[in-house]
Amino acid sequence: MNLFQNAKFFTTVNHVKDLPDTGAEIAFVGRSNAGKSSAINALCNHVRLAYVSKTPGRTQHINFFGLANGHFMVDLPGYGYAEVPEVVRRHWVELLGRYLQTRRQLLGLVLIMDCRHPLKPLDIQMLDFFAPTGRPVHILLSKADKLSRNDQLKTLSSVKKALKPFTGRQEVSVQLFSSLKKQGIDEVNQVVGAWFARLADTEQAADSGGRADL
């Protein structure tokens, strides 16, 4: 089952105070021009659900999309693009940072990296920043079609090795992904589906415990 199929735009937010009261959320984030919007469109089997631009830094707001399971997918602003006014850059940083560290509905983070340039300093900074939440991170090495199969596997292996210091602090997984070739969609569904399944198990256990106390 494709969790992202038939995703519908819900709302867009430019200030933390305007964040909606939703169900559980999984968020997508990545450096500007890493292929985040293309990945979302591929997962949702939609041409323009998320805006794709050749201009890095185009996604300036937090965009919410409703999923068929009643939960939400969140498209976060890209980070690392410096050619914007400083006041705008500061606003993005505050909006992104406060959402990631304080949003109680957030189940986990899908982090997009260009497979040709993975684990740049800002990507490492993002992993460090998000680690204190204890929530899982799943990394998509996007644009895998730009590499030969051999180079894809080499990159995947080297990234897994480099991520070992993080796996001791939180759940971190990684995969190859290509929006163009539709590569890796099933794997994303399995990982994110497990996050939602754990939430359902937790809620069921809490509900059972509450009934037992009656």
Side-chain angles (χ1 to χ4, degrees), residues 43-161:
L43 286 166
C44 297
N45 195 26
H46 198 292
V47 178
R48 288 180 62 86
L49 187 69
Y51 186 83
V52 179
S53 174
K54 292 183 179 179
T55 304
R58 186 62 182 262
T59 304
Q60 301 177 13
H61 300 71
I62 296 179
N63 296 308
F64 290 77
F65 301 88
L67 301 176
N69 64 3
H71 298 306
F72 290 82
M73 172 181 68
V74 183
D75 183 12
L76 298 173
Y79 56 85
Y81 185 62
E83 294 184 29
V84 293
E86 179 61 21
V87 65
V88 174
R89 191 191 67 80
R90 286 200 308 268
H91 175 69
W92 289 0
V93 170
E94 180 184 5
L95 183 63
L96 185 62
R98 290 187 62 186
Y99 173 85
L100 289 173
Q101 290 203 324
T102 66
R103 186 67 169 169
R104 62 175 178 78
Q105 292 96 328
L106 181 59
L107 285 186
L109 189 66
V110 179
L111 176 56
I112 316 297
M113 300 181 194
D114 187 325
C115 68
R116 299 165 298 176
H117 315 288
L119 292 174
K120 291 293 188 181
L122 284 175
D123 297 323
I124 299 296
Q125 184 176 326
M126 175 58 69
L127 287 167
D128 281 329
F129 184 80
F130 192 64
T133 70
R135 293 166 179 156
V137 178
H138 186 56
I139 297 170
L140 305 189
L141 298 175
S142 68
K143 306 183 184 182
D145 53 279
K146 303 292 186 182
L147 299 177
S148 68
R149 183 58 181 169
N150 189 50
D151 285 340
Q152 287 181 27
L153 295 176
K154 285 181 178 178
T155 299
L156 181 62
S157 178
S158 65
V159 170
K160 284 182 176 180
K161 184 176 180 180

